Amino acid sequence: MAVIERVVVTVFTTVTHSYVDEHGHRHPGPPREVTEALLTITDADGASGHCLTKPDTVREAVVSGYLGPALLGEEGFDRERLWHRMARRQRGSQGAFSDRALSAADQALWDLAGRRLGLPVWRLLGGARAEVPAYASTMCGDDIPGGLATPEDYANFAKELVARGYRAIKLHTWMPPLPHGVDRDIAACTAVREAVGPDIELMLDSYHWYSRSEALTLGRALDELGFAWFEEPMEEASVQSYRWLAEQLRTPIIGPETAWGKHMARAEWVVAGACDILRVGVVGSGGITPALKAVHLAESFGMDCEIHGNGSGALAVIGATLSGRWYERGLLHPHSDYDTPPPHLRSIVDPLVDGKVRMPTAPGLGDDIDHDYIAARTVATWESRLR
Ligand code: LLH
Ligand code: MG
């Protein structure tokens, strides 16, 4: 065991084949250069843990003002204690130290622990399963020819996804700035059900700000179509709206995904009866440490907890627990190649084999980071060190 000596964010350029629209939804696009960030925590023995994140999430002021002061000189193996040490600094940061930054540091600490022990994190955390079925999670609807512009586009893509081996598909339908609406959503869900038949599980993640009555109309259509869950059709801050909806639908309601409050917010949703399936994300809810608590909470109530989002952090929690059926593989699109890694990774962490994803076997989180690529394309380094 050894104390933490350095917290470093390396900002580098890489290439992406997607763009994010003005409302934050990702779509396929021509290749373009973007900046990404690698957070690295190094201890006095020279062991390091890493987490890939966004430069805006772990800005220089976050490193010098929060991560460095909370972590430097502390025993790097003490993930639970350090998570609380960091989380207690969020309140006074006036929003500057976000749950996403906390998550990046927490994931890097788990990566460090796994690498030191020579164990994959999912195994270190519990070792519940070595593989998990993946559902295909589509990008949001668009207006791209041959993309996800019409119900027929969704139906055609769904057939292609089944041919690739997926046994479950989640539609993200149209969101602003594009025209959106319950009728369009129902048309897409109906077209996909007709295309894949009754044996493929289907889920819907729709526009997130429907009214109660719009969400009920949409949910009743999903009842008829036999959907496996209905995700985030309303503002998640209104727990009572979700309780109201869940009481009236046969289709299970899943949530919350984006609601603020880490594992504590999940406890409120369970007690309120606002969801039938719990949901938590490693990146959005403060890290592996709180996500694991949410999954254990769900298990205690006899509920499934599905993990939001893809990547090594999600796999760590899914492999460590049994209270959830799926891995969210995506976001996928007819014009997007999910299986080719970006240039800063040597391989993807989640290849699909027979509709399933196997847990990584490398020590730590299992990301296959190309450190030479990152070193050659570094544009900034933000560092806090012990001495
Ligand atoms: O609104 C979106 O773009 C999607 O809902 C996106 O956030 C996606 O990550 C998601 O919700 N997956 O479940
Ligand atoms: Mg979602």
Side-chain angles (χ1 to χ4, degrees):
M1 304 303 114
V3 297
I4 295 169
E5 280 199 341
R6 294 174 65 206
V7 178
V8 183
V9 169
T10 306
V11 184
F12 61 96
T13 60
T14 184
V15 177
T16 181
H17 293 255
S18 65
Y19 74 95
V20 176
D21 68 28
E22 67 194 75
H23 282 259
H25 309 300
R26 191 164 289 280
H27 306 284
R32 68 192 173 95
E33 195 174 82
V34 288
T35 51
E36 299 277 342
L38 181 69
L39 172 66
T40 302
I41 297 174
T42 303
D43 69 20
D45 290 342
S48 292
H50 306 281
C51 182
L52 285 161
T53 179
K54 303 288 175 199
D56 276 353
T57 300
V58 284
R59 296 181 306 280
E60 190 166 18
V62 174
V63 177
S64 61
Y66 304 100
L67 299 182
L71 298 176
L72 293 174
E74 299 295 324
E75 168 52 55
F77 209 68
D78 295 352
R79 282 92 58 209
E80 180 72 20
R81 186 174 65 80
L82 294 182
W83 185 86
H84 282 278
R85 211 175 135 76
M86 291 188 286
R88 294 283 153 88
R89 292 169 190 240
Q90 286 185 284
R91 185 178 178 280
S93 80
Q94 301 186 21
F97 184 18
S98 66
D99 281 350
R100 284 175 182 259
L102 175 62
S103 172
D106 180 69
Q107 289 185 70
L109 287 171
W110 280 106
D111 190 47
L112 174 65
R115 286 167 186 268
R116 285 203 67 122
L117 294 174
L119 279 175
V121 172
W122 65 273
R123 192 151 253 155
L124 169 61
L125 284 170
R129 51 183 152 177
E131 62 180 21
V132 61
Y135 67 85
S137 187
T138 75
M139 287 185 185
C140 294
D142 52 49
D143 53 7
I144 302 168
L148 294 172
T150 66
E152 294 69 39
D153 284 342
Y154 276 94
N156 292 335
F157 189 42
K159 281 193 270 191
E160 191 183 319
L161 293 168
V162 171
R164 287 185 208 167
Y166 291 103
R167 304 297 298 163
I169 299 167
K170 187 171 86 182
L171 289 70
H172 285 99
T173 43
W174 295 275
M175 318 253 176
L178 290 157
H180 59 277
V182 168
D183 290 349
R184 265 192 121 186
D185 289 347
I186 294 174
C189 292
T190 305
V192 170
R193 174 54 83 209
E194 283 170 2
V196 300
D199 296 336
I200 300 298
E201 297 207 47
L202 296 176
M203 305 86 150
L204 174 65
D205 193 341
S206 68
Y207 173 63
H208 310 311
W209 292 277
Y210 283 130
S211 67
R212 286 190 185 193
S213 52
E214 288 168 326
L216 184 61
T217 302
L218 183 49
R220 285 190 172 142
L222 300 186
D223 283 352
E224 297 309 311
L225 294 168
F227 267 51
W229 79 54
F230 189 16
E231 179 170 332
E232 208 184 342
M234 302 177 292
E235 168 58 65
E236 286 188 341
S238 178
V239 180
Q240 291 308 313
S241 294
Y242 278 88
R243 184 189 59 75
W244 177 90
L245 187 66
E247 275 175 2
Q248 301 185 70
L249 294 180
R250 289 197 305 274
T251 306
I253 298 293
I254 189 170
E257 177 176 311
T258 54
W260 179 86
K262 308 184 179 80
H263 51 294
M264 286 83 78
R266 272 84 204 162
E268 297 296 338
W269 274 59
V270 172
V271 171
C275 57
D276 304 286
I277 304 169
L278 197 60
R279 190 148 178 81
V280 70
V282 166
V283 174
S285 305
I288 289 171
T289 299
L292 203 62
K293 292 176 188 186
V295 181
H296 290 158
L297 168 82
E299 184 178 328
S300 310
F301 280 94
M303 295 172 74
D304 277 340
C305 182
E306 297 292 342
I307 305 302
H308 167 249
N310 62 345
S312 59
L315 284 174
V317 175
I318 292 169
T321 56
L322 293 175
S323 303
R325 294 178 57 205
W326 304 99
Y327 171 70
E328 179 168 14
R329 194 165 189 272
L331 302 173
L332 308 180
H333 188 279
H335 299 340
S336 167
D337 175 10
Y338 184 86
D339 295 291
T340 300
H344 58 275
L345 293 177
R346 284 186 290 248
S347 62
I348 58 170
V349 74
D350 57 356
L352 188 74
V353 181
D354 296 333
K356 294 178 185 157
V357 169
R358 293 196 63 76
M359 299 304 150
T361 52
L365 289 172
D367 283 320
D368 193 4
I369 299 167
D370 188 338
H371 292 282
D372 293 338
Y373 180 93
I374 290 175
R377 286 162 184 81
T378 298
V379 293
T381 306
W382 305 324
E383 174 168 357
S384 273
R385 42 163 85 230
L386 197 54
R387 48 183 171 266

